[in-house]
Amino acid sequence: MMIDSGSKNVIDEIFHPRSIAVIGARSNESLENDGWVSRLIAFGYTGTIYPINPKAAEIMGLKAYPSIRDVPGPVDLAIFNVPFRISDRIMTDCAAKGVKCAHVFTAGFSETGKPEGIRLQNEIERIARQAGVRVIGPNCMGLYYPQGGITFGRLLSNKPGTVAFVSQSGASASRVVAQGTERGIYFSKVVSYGNAIDLDGTDFIEYLSSDPETKVVTSYIEGVKDGRRYFKVIREGNRKKPVIVLKAGITEGGSRAASSHTASLAGAENIWDALFRQTGVIRVDDLEELLDVAMAFVYLRRPAGRRVGIVGRGGGLGVVATDMCEKAGLKVPEFHMETQKRLEQLIPESGTSARNPVEPDRGLAAWAVFYEEGLKAIDADPNIDFILTHLGIDIYGGFGSRLTQSLDEAISILLKLSKQLSKPLVIVLYAGGRAETINAVLQAQKRCLEAGLPVYPSVPSAAKAVSRFIGYHEFLDRIAGNLK
Amino acid sequence: MMIDSGSKNVIDEIFHPRSIAVIGARSNESLENDGWVSRLIAFGYTGTIYPINPKAAEIMGLKAYPSIRDVPGPVDLAIFNVPFRISDRIMTDCAAKGVKCAHVFTAGFSETGKPEGIRLQNEIERIARQAGVRVIGPNCMGLYYPQGGITFGRLLSNKPGTVAFVSQSGASASRVVAQGTERGIYFSKVVSYGNAIDLDGTDFIEYLSSDPETKVVTSYIEGVKDGRRYFKVIREGNRKKPVIVLKAGITEGGSRAASSHTASLAGAENIWDALFRQTGVIRVDDLEELLDVAMAFVYLRRPAGRRVGIVGRGGGLGVVATDMCEKAGLKVPEFHMETQKRLEQLIPESGTSARNPVEPDRGLAAWAVFYEEGLKAIDADPNIDFILTHLGIDIYGGFGSRLTQSLDEAISILLKLSKQLSKPLVIVLYAGGRAETINAVLQAQKRCLEAGLPVYPSVPSAAKAVSRFIGYHEFLDRIAGNLK
């Protein structure tokens, strides 16, 4: 099918600007006092930065210009950090300068529902379109591209990764990048595009589906301009790499909120539901689920099937974990007889614990011992496709000083053993609400992630994400089958 | 209706034992080396403790006895901390001694599915029944009653509260008490009763429904012995005070796991579903939800209706929050025109933010200012029944050193204002995954709880819990209407 290669190439150029003008750069910016100029410097942007401010001669050691018209060289990207009332004049300046793309960070336009905001949005759209200035926004955070030294938040991680996030919402973009990197999920390219008077989510998803730096495309949308084109783009994109979408504004109140947020028409829930089912796109309900699914695509190999061997607190917690896995569409089968025999040798006292879900023993110290041998037995079981181990640190946490040490030992053995396993391994670390247990778990999580293992905060979050991950591969299989 | 007052009185006696024998007390117990005797001492149990151990003369400064038969005074409660193979002999000793109740902590019985375990369970059941010894267990943690100095975990909180938890699972009991107290939910009486050869969940729920120390009854069950009596007890109990139930073992795998956990027949999901709907009992899916609902009953006044005013990050996060509330059965209506006008005066720059959900401003510092005036305006709105405010500390968290201070200030104003509000207030504090933000949030949470305000970790957890809380009151209203 034909693809609008025009906007794809434009977007690639936008992510690689040779020069950036910050219009409305604050005269008192410093590395301590966050601003658009200092962010670019701190993130290591290597192109030319032009601070624009009629009242400053120099900002952050860079020569400042009264207007973008005064800038000597060409400007690829202009960031609008100005009051919305003068945005039309600023856009006229950009048009005169021949700016390639304007990122209008400024808010106060159509999303307010007020005549003045609507008029000004129409005006900047008209000026930009006439002059051929491409626009991101208005009312958005713009670009986060660690590889290129571009960011909308100075204290975000500058480590690049393979997950892209296309977000109509700026706060969602900030939350996803902040929480994602804390969970070991790093990003290729992120864009918050707001009211989308020019480039919209569809354009960015289309571009990222072909972007070699991106392996997973995630997205937050409220509404789209052209439903038919969106359908085509996510359908085709999802066949090249997973497309994960949070569709917001699906309830009556949410739809109204979306309208005052980005002036979007959110559309009927049943239409969206059909859209996602037909395209095989992975739908999630909130940003945490979006990151849960991304975690699986970044850290997990595809299991041969849906049958999970659960290693963790047995007893009631094991029963609930089993319910959660099966409700999410996984299967928790009985172990093969040989496995059960082997596990009974390892846990001689308690026959119950040798079944699926298996409970190593009642104390945290027993985990290291079990991981050494028990995981191998489950790994060899023909009834099992992958292993999920959940460690209830919140329960063992009461035992104070030994906790960190016992947890460290268990994780060391787990990481060593994981290399010998032929089947995928998923780790759940319950932290509870106590500061010392939380800190111990954050350390343990870091070690697991560095070893390339996925970590989840709860069994339901892991089960739902892994089930969707497997579902995506099953979807691709069905399509391949249909094409034969 | 007639109530089996026999077991109710017995259970009250069991929670108030004048003496406790620990059979199998470890000779090396100390305050550092956790055990059943040291737990009682550390928790301030004021009755007589008899350590039983044939190889020790004294344990924790208390005279030890070779057998329970050698104890001079009467024994109200005997804790079995012995290998399951000698449990029949120990039960015979207890019968001879005339022990009132045996808590059989020991595991290895019917739940193993092995002939030896089944035989021994039948045997101790026969001996106890013949001699009139009441039994909690086997295969369970027994009692946690902070008011009476009794606990199954030494490092659990000894602060009494008003929530009871009746749990077939020991690990669930530990998790609920540990996580509950960390969230400001304290307990009246908790029991983990395992295989239930004598006293079972129904008995305990019946007792707690009439217990003056208990205002909310929560419960984890896998199966019940007498479905008809269980139905009657939860139905009547739920009309006196809220009964919240997590039914585990509802999937095929979960049901099998329940059978190897407490030898329970978990029963068909549709029967349980009908049971809960008919009784109006509040059903939850996991232990976190159980605590979420308990939080509402402990900290929240009943709102006049389901219409919520949302104060928090607007933008995409506000849209998602709105969807989550409406999906959970709440309504997020438009503000009254007067409210909107007032909010527009408070947030002059951004028309969008003056609608429901309302966004104070883009930085954390602006929250304190908004709380001072904005909350009053929403409180006065006739379209609104209660207020939910969500603070995305995970997003503001990046701003380092000022975070704790800004958060402290916002919380101070919030707490001050909350006293002037006529409508209930629910607080959501997103913590994210960064150690410093988590610690700041834990502090803020503590202050809110101490001021009597409910705190949730996410909008969906708050929305679902508050919706169920309102639903319980609506159920009582319907019953009262039917009785007229």
Side-chain angles (χ1 to χ4, degrees), chain B residues 25 33 77 174 176 188 249 288 437 480:
Chain B
N33 196 351
L77 181 66
S174 297
V176 162
S188 52
E288 286 69 30
T437 11

Side-chain angles (χ1 to χ4, degrees), chain B residues 215-465:
Chain B
K215 293 199 174 130
V216 184
V217 179
T218 65
S219 170
Y220 168 97
I221 53 157
E222 293 174 0
V224 292
K225 285 189 290 192
D226 178 349
R228 196 178 297 263
R229 180 157 166 261
Y230 179 73
F231 176 81
K232 180 173 152 252
V233 164
I234 62 168
R235 183 174 172 278
E236 289 178 15
N238 191 51
R239 286 158 191 227
K240 292 188 220 162
K241 53 186 88 166
V243 175
I244 302 162
V245 178
L246 168 55
K247 167 67 182 80
I250 55 165
T251 60
E252 192 191 323
S255 166
R256 192 169 52 239
S259 148
S260 35
H261 177 220
T262 52
S264 292
L265 290 171
E269 163 62 10
N270 58 346
I271 294 173
W272 285 98
D273 191 49
L275 178 81
F276 292 123
R277 271 189 290 105
Q278 282 169 37
T279 54
V281 159
I282 301 162
R283 186 179 190 178
V284 292
D285 289 330
D286 59 31
L287 297 173
E288 286 69 30
E289 282 188 10
L290 184 144
L291 289 171
D292 289 339
V293 178
M295 172 74 75
F297 279 102
V298 173
Y299 285 91
L300 205 59
R301 285 175 296 131
R302 180 186 182 179
R306 292 180 166 270
R307 300 169 307 166
V308 55
I310 302 179
V311 178
R313 280 303 304 227
L317 301 181
V319 179
V320 177
T322 303
D323 278 341
M324 290 300 177
C325 285
E326 297 219 334
K327 270 190 187 176
L330 304 173
K331 289 307 286 176
V332 186
E334 291 197 76
F335 286 136
H336 189 276
M337 227 176 11
E338 289 302 313
T339 313
Q340 210 151 309
K341 270 190 210 155
R342 178 76 188 107
L343 294 175
E344 280 180 21
Q345 289 164 357
L346 294 172
I347 320 163
E349 263 304 302
S350 224
T352 166
S353 312
R355 300 190 199 151
N356 192 12
V358 63
E359 175 172 12
D361 209 321
R362 315 237 157 191
L364 185 54
W367 284 77
V369 179
F370 181 84
Y371 281 149
E372 192 91 44
E373 291 301 326
L375 286 185
K376 284 190 218 163
I378 299 169
D379 191 51
D381 190 317
N383 292 350
I384 296 298
D385 299 315
F386 69 103
I387 301 171
L388 182 149
T389 178
H390 63 112
L391 265 160
I393 322 294
D394 59 319
I395 293 178
Y396 303 118
F399 295 95
S401 59
R402 285 172 307 179
L403 169 75
T404 310
Q405 199 196 327
S406 304
L407 182 57
D408 266 4
E409 284 165 15
I411 296 293
S412 293
I413 305 282
L414 182 61
L415 298 185
K416 201 184 84 186
L417 254 293
S418 72
K419 297 197 192 90
Q420 300 172 33
L421 299 180
S422 65
K423 292 170 184 168
L425 176 64
V426 178
I427 298 168
V428 172
L429 300 173
Y430 272 97
R434 200 186 285 239
E436 67 246 44
T437 11
I438 293 172
N439 289 328
V441 165
L442 288 177
Q443 286 307 311
Q445 172 178 291
K446 194 157 173 279
R447 293 182 64 201
C448 296
L449 293 168
E450 281 169 3
L453 295 170
V455 181
Y456 289 91
S458 72
V459 171
S461 65
K464 281 198 258 178

Side-chain angles (χ1 to χ4, degrees), chain B residues 21-25 50-59 62-72 82 86 89-90 93:
Chain B
V22 177
I23 309 177
Y50 298 115
I52 311 295
N53 183 329
K55 289 173 187 157
E58 203 177 78
I59 290 174
L62 300 168
K63 180 172 166 44
Y65 299 86
S67 156
I68 197 164
R69 296 181 192 243
D70 304 315
V71 168
V82 299
I86 64 164
R89 180 163 66 72
I90 300 298
D93 290 350

